[in-house]
């Protein structure tokens, strides 16, 4: 990515930060299975020192701070000031004292070698500027017997929570095609083996990739889902801004029709697919 694109991407995350904060309770609930997956894969337990890379509005740091307990600690990191502020404010509200905050990018971690037991990233690896450098950095700052573990989205087709709205919009307006499959994007590592290859190139050992199928569930209506998605996603904010005012009700209705089966008895439930890729610093 050229520096201008990088700063545009970070500006977009800065704009997103207030919405990730606004929907923090839903986010924690909807994506909790991803945190559990990371905790299992990275063998996180009481007393450990854990690095969270790209922690957004606070997950998985906030959950992990509870798991490691008072004898352990979490270092939350994110390059976006608005995300760091939101996560730090929430930790303060909860009175958490074993969680620390640093604003930094995954590609250049401001920590000494072998500072942490493990490093994890939930839904952030696909936005790293130089993924191999970032994984190398994560391996550098963990202990010799430590694990790194990243969870990313599987294919768009297996994730209607994300695809339903853009698929409908594309029926109404022309949307520019993505031509670079390696550009930062939610589905950058959706192809099995791609993130595994990155970990191996960075020097990780015993690399394992697991597919995680789960339901994105919350007690919200379609209208609440629509509002949350169109506020939280930079891509959708951009697409919505390009629509003529008279297209909006038609598109919203078409999305409601397409999404009907995911909203039953006041509950939203979308099938979802993620990949968890983990490795060790040294071969077992
Ligand atoms: C989809 S959000 C995920 C946030 C959080 N981990 C969660 O699961 O709720 C992606 C996060 O990656 C962060 N990010 C973007 N570029 C990054 C980079 N170069 N290094 C580390 N994190 C980055 C963003 O600021 C954002 O907070």
């Amino acid at each position: 990515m050229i520096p201008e694109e990088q700063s545009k991407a970070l500006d977009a995350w800065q704009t997103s930060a207030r919405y990730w904060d606004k929907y923090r309770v839903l986010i924690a609930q909807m994506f909790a299975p991803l945190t559990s997956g990371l905790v299992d894969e990275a063998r996180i337990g009481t007393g450990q020192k854990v690095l969270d890379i790209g922690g957004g509005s606070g997950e998985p740091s906030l959950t992990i701070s509870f798991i490691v307990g008072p004898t352990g600690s979490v270092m939350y990191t994110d390059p976006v000031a608005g995300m760091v502020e939101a996560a730090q404010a929430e930790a303060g509200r909860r009175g958490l004292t074993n969680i620390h905050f640093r604003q930094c990018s995954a590609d250049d971690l401001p920590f000494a070698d072998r500072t942490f037991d493990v490093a994890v990233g939930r839904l952030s690896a696909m936005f790293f500027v130089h993924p191999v450098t970032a994984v190398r950095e994560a391996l550098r700052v963990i202990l010799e017997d430590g694990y790194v573990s990243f969870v990313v989205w599987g294919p768009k087709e297996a994730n209607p929570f994300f695809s339903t709205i853009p698929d409908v919009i594309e029926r109404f307006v022309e949307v520019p095609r993505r031509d670079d499959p390696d550009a930062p994007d939610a589905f950058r590592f959706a192809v099995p083996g791609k993130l595994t290859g990155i970990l191996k190139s960075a020097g990780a050992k015993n690399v394992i990739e697991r597919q995680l199928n789960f339901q994105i569930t919350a007690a919200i209506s379609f209208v609440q889902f629509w509002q949350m998605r169109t506020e939280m996603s930079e891509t959708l904010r951009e697409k919505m801004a390009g629509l003529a005012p008279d297209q909006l009700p038609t598109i919203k209705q078409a999305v409601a029709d397409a999404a009907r089966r995911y909203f039953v008895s006041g509950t939203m439930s979308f099938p979802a697919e993620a990949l968890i890729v983990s490795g060790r610093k040294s071969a077992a």
Side-chain angles (χ1 to χ4, degrees), residues 1 6 9-10 12-14 16-17 20 24 27-28 31 34-35 38 52-61 76-81 83-84 104-109 120-130 134 151 153 162 184 186 232:
M1 258 203 297
Q6 279 175 38
L10 292 180
W13 282 116
Q14 176 66 23
S16 295
W20 282 71
R24 66 165 52 260
I27 293 170
F31 302 152
L34 303 179
T35 298
L38 282 178
D52 176 14
I53 305 171
S57 54
E59 286 295 338
S61 285
Y76 161 106
T77 62
D78 199 285
V80 174
M83 293 290 191
V84 182
C104 61
S105 171
D107 310 271
D108 188 14
L109 296 173
V120 294
R122 192 184 87 164
L123 306 176
S124 55
M126 48 281 227
F127 304 108
F128 293 168
V129 182
H130 302 293
V151 65
W153 292 118
F162 295 100
M232 276 178 66

Side-chain angles (χ1 to χ4, degrees), residues 134-155:
V135 176
R136 226 177 254 142
E137 275 290 88
L139 290 168
R140 178 182 67 75
V141 301
I142 60 168
L143 298 176
E144 288 307 319
D145 59 353
Y147 289 88
V148 291
S149 199
F150 299 96
V151 65
V152 296
W153 292 118

Side-chain angles (χ1 to χ4, degrees), residues 50 57-58 91 115 127 139 154 189 194 222 232 245 255 268 271-272 284:
V50 178
S57 54
T115 301
F127 304 108
L139 290 168
F189 293 127
K194 193 169 174 189
F222 170 75
M232 276 178 66
V255 175
M268 174 193 83

